[in-house]
Amino acid sequence: MEIEGDKIKHTPEACAGNIRPVKDALYVLSGKWKLPLIGALMDGPQRFNELQRFLGDITPKVLSKELRELELNEFVERKVFSTVPVTITYELTPYSQSVEKIIDELRKWGIEHRERIIKNRKSSTAA
Amino acid sequence: MEIEGDKIKHTPEACAGNIRPVKDALYVLSGKWKLPLIGALMDGPQRFNELQRFLGDITPKVLSKELRELELNEFVERKVFSTVPVTITYELTPYSQSVEKIIDELRKWGIEHRERIIKNRKSSTAA
DNA sequence: CTGCATCCTATAGGATACTG
DNA sequence: CAGTATCCTATAGGATGCAG
């Protein structure tokens, strides 16, 4: 997994070290798909194809990779059901609940941001 | 700025559209430095070099680029003071406060995550 | 001090085709 | 259905050096 060492040299006073946790978090969670993927799974277990449709334009290769990584980080559990044909689902682990707040904030912000942009478009068109 | 169109085709029922805002947010905020940078500025106005030291290993080119983008998105204001030599500071705009919650959550999560990893290391070493 | 210009590489992620 | 295998490209971001 790798967390970068404690290399940050900050002015002793200040707040400094405060950003290290942010960088730590980003190290695991950043990328185009991880958060949206977890967001998608917040609605309950999903199958591979469901996720693919859900996310809109992710390719199987990438989806597969992202799921594997999320499994390694213990955000996601892969379950195999011995139906015919076999059914496989992905679902969030209890641990991943710790990420849900981030996603909620991101979601809220995304909504506001989109509105803001639309407003700005209007007012600049009016000029 | 560009927000991707409403191309997500989700099963009509489900929750689906819920992830679009997440993707919107990520479109603007993702990358290695934007969030840490805003996090750094949460402690008050900073100068170019301060930020560079603060963030640990960002190159001037990248820092410069990130700052420009944050300025465009109205998260950051660049202020020039006519001292000799000129002093330039970067500070967060009121709008960027809307992102602070995200950063706080990220920070909290980063701290927990690091602790978790350390614990796991110990227990797996014990095996 | 505050950057910009140039060059360079690693990696994320897309396209396409194929398998059990 | 649930992926894997290959190939390919765009882009983020690092290294270095220079400039006002």
Side-chain angles (χ1 to χ4, degrees):
Chain A
M1 152 129 327
E2 289 263 316
I3 284 196
E4 48 182 288
D6 299 32
K7 287 187 193 166
I8 296 177
K9 296 140 196 161
H10 52 84
T11 39
E13 344 82 307
C15 41
N18 280 350
I19 38 153
R20 199 194 56 181
V22 177
K23 287 172 79 180
D24 286 349
L26 255 21
Y27 184 87
V28 180
L29 297 174
S30 76
K32 190 173 175 182
W33 296 111
K34 294 225 175 40
L35 267 344
L37 192 41
I38 296 177
L41 287 169
M42 278 169 68
D43 298 309
Q46 312 269 342
R47 304 173 61 175
F48 194 90
N49 275 346
E50 290 174 321
L51 287 170
Q52 199 176 348
R53 264 175 279 121
F54 207 82
L55 291 174
D57 49 356
I58 190 172
T59 63
K61 183 192 104 177
V62 175
L63 177 53
S64 170
K65 198 198 75 186
E66 301 288 308
L67 284 170
R68 238 178 293 127
E69 290 178 17
L70 290 178
E71 234 190 302
L72 279 176
N73 283 310
E74 299 180 69
F75 294 127
V76 163
E77 188 179 357
R78 183 178 184 270
K79 287 192 175 170
V80 184
F81 298 95
S82 316
T83 52
V84 181
V86 175
T87 305
I88 296 169
T89 67
Y90 296 87
E91 62 184 89
L92 296 181
T93 64
Y95 177 53
S96 69
Q97 284 167 14
S98 64
V99 197
E100 297 190 6
K101 277 190 189 172
I102 297 176
I103 297 184
D104 282 335
E105 291 302 333
L106 231 29
R107 199 198 311 275
K108 280 188 222 162
W109 190 86
I111 292 171
E112 286 169 26
H113 181 70
R114 175 179 284 257
E115 282 167 5
R116 181 187 166 91
I117 286 182
I118 292 172
K119 269 187 199 160
N120 282 357
R121 290 244 175 81
K122 279 185 192 155
S123 53
S124 65
T125 314
Chain B
M1 151 130 329
E2 287 262 317
I3 284 196
E4 46 181 291
D6 300 32
K7 287 187 193 167
I8 296 177
K9 295 142 196 161
H10 52 85
T11 40
E13 346 76 314
C15 39
N18 280 350
I19 39 153
R20 198 193 57 181
V22 177
K23 288 172 79 181
D24 285 350
L26 255 21
Y27 184 88
V28 180
L29 297 174
S30 76
K32 191 173 175 182
W33 296 112
K34 295 225 175 43
L35 268 343
L37 192 42
I38 296 177
L41 287 169
M42 278 169 67
D43 297 308
Q46 313 269 341
R47 304 173 60 175
F48 195 89
N49 274 350
E50 289 174 323
L51 288 170
Q52 198 175 350
R53 265 176 279 122
F54 208 82
L55 291 173
D57 50 354
I58 190 171
T59 62
K61 184 193 102 177
V62 174
L63 177 54
S64 169
K65 199 198 73 185
E66 300 288 309
L67 284 171
R68 240 178 293 126
E69 290 177 18
L70 289 177
E71 234 190 303
L72 279 176
N73 283 310
E74 298 178 71
F75 293 127
V76 163
E77 188 179 358
R78 182 178 185 271
K79 288 192 175 169
V80 184
F81 299 94
S82 315
T83 51
V84 182
V86 174
T87 304
I88 296 170
T89 67
Y90 296 86
E91 62 183 88
L92 296 182
T93 63
Y95 176 54
S96 69
Q97 283 167 15
S98 64
V99 197
E100 297 191 6
K101 278 190 188 173
I102 297 176
I103 297 183
D104 282 335
E105 291 302 332
L106 230 30
R107 199 197 312 274
K108 280 188 222 162
W109 190 88
I111 292 171
E112 288 170 24
H113 181 70
R114 176 179 282 257
E115 283 167 5
R116 181 187 166 90
I117 285 182
I118 292 171
K119 271 187 198 162
N120 283 356
R121 288 243 176 84
K122 281 184 191 157
S123 52
S124 63
T125 315

